[in-house]
Amino acid sequence: MGKHKRYKRVRKNLEYYSMNFGINPPYKLIVDGEFIQQSLRYKVHIKEQIPKLFANTVVPCVTKCTVSSLKRKGSNYSGASIIAKRFERLPCSHGKKVIDEEECLKHIAGDRNESKLLFGAQKVSLRNAIRAVPAAPLVFIRECVPIFEPPAKATQEKFKQELDGKLGLSKEEKKQIEDLKGPVEEQKRRKRKGPKGPNPLSCKKKRKKVQASPKKKKTPQKVRREGEEEVKISERKKEWRKRRRRRGKKKKSADEVTDLPTPGTTQMTKQEVSS
C-alpha cells in the first residue's frame, strides 16, 4: 500500500473515533515494552513518525509497570528502558503495586476505554485483548512501518448499539404507535376517480412482427410429378428438333432443283455462240 492511501485511511479512522467516541487531539499513545523494542530494531522514531502518520500531536506514554518489566528483561532491553524513561508516565489504575505489564494495560483499557487513549501494543495477546475493548484504537509496528488498525468488531457493535439507543423508540412510544395503527387500518379508503392506467393515446401500439412463412418441403409425389413433366418436355424438344431438320432438308432439295438449267435455254445459248 502506498503512503497516500495509508494516510488517507488513518485520517478516516481518526474521524470515526472522534465523531462517535470523542477521541480528539492531542492524542495520548500508551505503549508496551515490545513496541519500544521493535521501534529501536527497525529505527522508527516514535516521537517523529507517529505524529506524522496522524497529522497531529501525539504524546507517547508509559506506566511504571512497563519500565520495571524492561529493567527485569536485562541488557538486551536496556536501550528500550532508557527511551521509556523519557516518555510521559501515566498513573496505573490498579494502584501503587507493580504488576505484569500486560495486565496493567488491560486494567487501563477497562471495558470502554474511558480515558480515551491510543494503545501501542506489539504483543499478539495484548493486541487481541485491546481489540475486544470497544473504542480502543490500536497501533503496532510491522517491520519499519507504524500501522493504525481500522475499528475492530467490538467497536463497530458498540457504535451500532449507541446509534439504536439514540434513534430508537421507547416502549411507551411503540405502544402508542400500535394503538394508533388499529383504527387507521379499519377505515375504508376512498376510491380514486379517473383513469387508473396510463393514457392510451400517449402509448404507442405494438407492431406485429411479420413471421416469414417457412418453406414447405416437397413431398415424394410432387417430386415424381416434376420428374415426369421434365421427361415430357425433353421428348417434345427432341421431336421439334427432328421436324426442324426435316424442313431444312426439304428446303435444300427445292433450291437445287431451281438451280438446274432448262433444255430450251441451253440450245439458244449455243446458237448465240455459233452466230
Side-chain angles (χ1 to χ4, degrees):
M1 193 193 297
K3 275 186 180 181
H4 182 69
K5 282 187 178 180
R6 189 164 65 248
Y7 291 153
K8 199 174 179 181
R9 282 190 182 181
V10 167
R11 279 183 223 131
K12 194 177 179 181
N13 293 332
L14 285 170
E15 280 176 12
Y16 177 84
Y17 282 113
S18 67
M19 291 287 287
N20 301 317
F21 302 105
I23 299 169
N24 296 315
Y27 303 110
K28 284 193 173 185
L29 177 70
I30 188 164
V31 296
D32 66 341
E34 290 295 327
F35 187 90
I36 299 163
Q37 183 69 11
Q38 189 80 352
S39 67
L40 265 176
R41 193 180 298 160
Y42 290 104
K43 296 176 182 179
V44 177
H45 203 286
I46 294 167
K47 284 187 176 180
E48 286 181 7
Q49 287 188 353
I50 289 168
K52 192 179 177 182
L53 179 69
F54 291 152
N56 220 311
T57 53
V58 179
V59 181
C61 307
V62 289
T63 59
K64 62 182 178 183
C65 298
T66 55
V67 175
S68 62
S69 69
L70 287 168
K71 282 179 182 177
R72 271 184 262 133
K73 284 176 181 177
S75 60
N76 292 330
Y77 288 81
S78 60
S81 65
I82 290 161
I83 290 164
K85 285 174 184 176
R86 292 174 187 172
F87 291 166
E88 189 180 321
R89 197 170 292 191
L90 290 176
C92 297
S93 58
H94 54 80
K96 291 181 179 180
K97 193 179 178 182
V98 176
I99 58 169
D100 185 41
E101 179 191 12
E102 196 171 330
E103 292 295 323
C104 177
L105 291 171
K106 283 179 187 177
H107 240 282
I108 288 164
D111 298 330
R112 297 179 184 177
N113 187 24
E114 290 176 358
S115 51
K116 296 178 182 180
L117 298 168
L118 307 179
F119 290 88
Q122 201 64 27
K123 284 182 183 178
V124 177
S125 57
L126 184 60
R127 266 193 255 172
N128 293 331
I130 288 161
R131 281 181 193 129
V133 178
L138 182 64
V139 185
F140 64 93
I141 294 167
R142 187 181 288 161
E143 291 182 357
C144 60
V145 181
I147 290 164
F148 183 52
E149 258 195 12
K153 284 184 180 179
T155 307
Q156 289 174 7
E157 285 172 5
K158 179 72 176 173
F159 168 66
K160 283 178 184 178
Q161 286 174 6
E162 286 182 358
L163 196 68
D164 291 338
K166 286 176 183 176
L167 301 175
L169 299 168
S170 64
K171 290 180 181 180
E172 291 177 359
E173 287 173 344
K174 285 178 182 178
K175 282 182 181 179
Q176 286 176 2
I177 289 163
E178 286 174 4
D179 293 336
L180 290 167
K181 277 183 182 177
V184 171
E185 288 175 358
E186 288 173 3
Q187 287 176 3
K188 290 181 180 180
R189 291 182 180 179
R190 291 181 183 178
K191 287 184 180 180
R192 195 175 180 183
K193 293 180 181 181
K196 292 179 182 178
N199 187 2
L201 297 171
S202 65
C203 299
K204 286 185 179 180
K205 291 180 181 179
K206 289 183 179 179
R207 291 182 181 178
K208 290 181 180 179
K209 291 181 180 179
V210 179
Q211 292 182 352
S213 58
K215 290 181 180 179
K216 293 181 180 179
K217 292 182 179 179
K218 291 180 180 180
T219 56
Q221 291 178 357
K222 285 185 179 180
V223 172
R224 282 177 192 170
R225 284 175 189 171
E226 285 177 1
E228 288 172 3
E229 287 174 1
E230 284 176 2
V231 170
K232 286 178 183 178
I233 291 160
S234 63
E235 286 175 359
R236 283 175 191 170
K237 281 181 179 179
K238 283 177 183 178
E239 287 177 4
W240 179 71
R241 282 171 188 167
K242 283 179 184 179
R243 284 176 189 172
R244 200 170 180 184
R245 282 173 194 167
R246 285 172 193 169
R247 285 174 190 170
K249 284 178 183 179
K250 284 179 183 179
K251 280 182 181 180
K252 281 180 183 179
S253 60
D255 292 337
E256 285 173 1
V257 170
T258 52
D259 290 340
L260 288 170
T262 55
T265 55
T266 52
Q267 288 176 2
M268 288 295 288
T269 51
K270 284 177 181 179
Q271 288 176 2
E272 287 174 1
V273 172
S274 60
S275 57

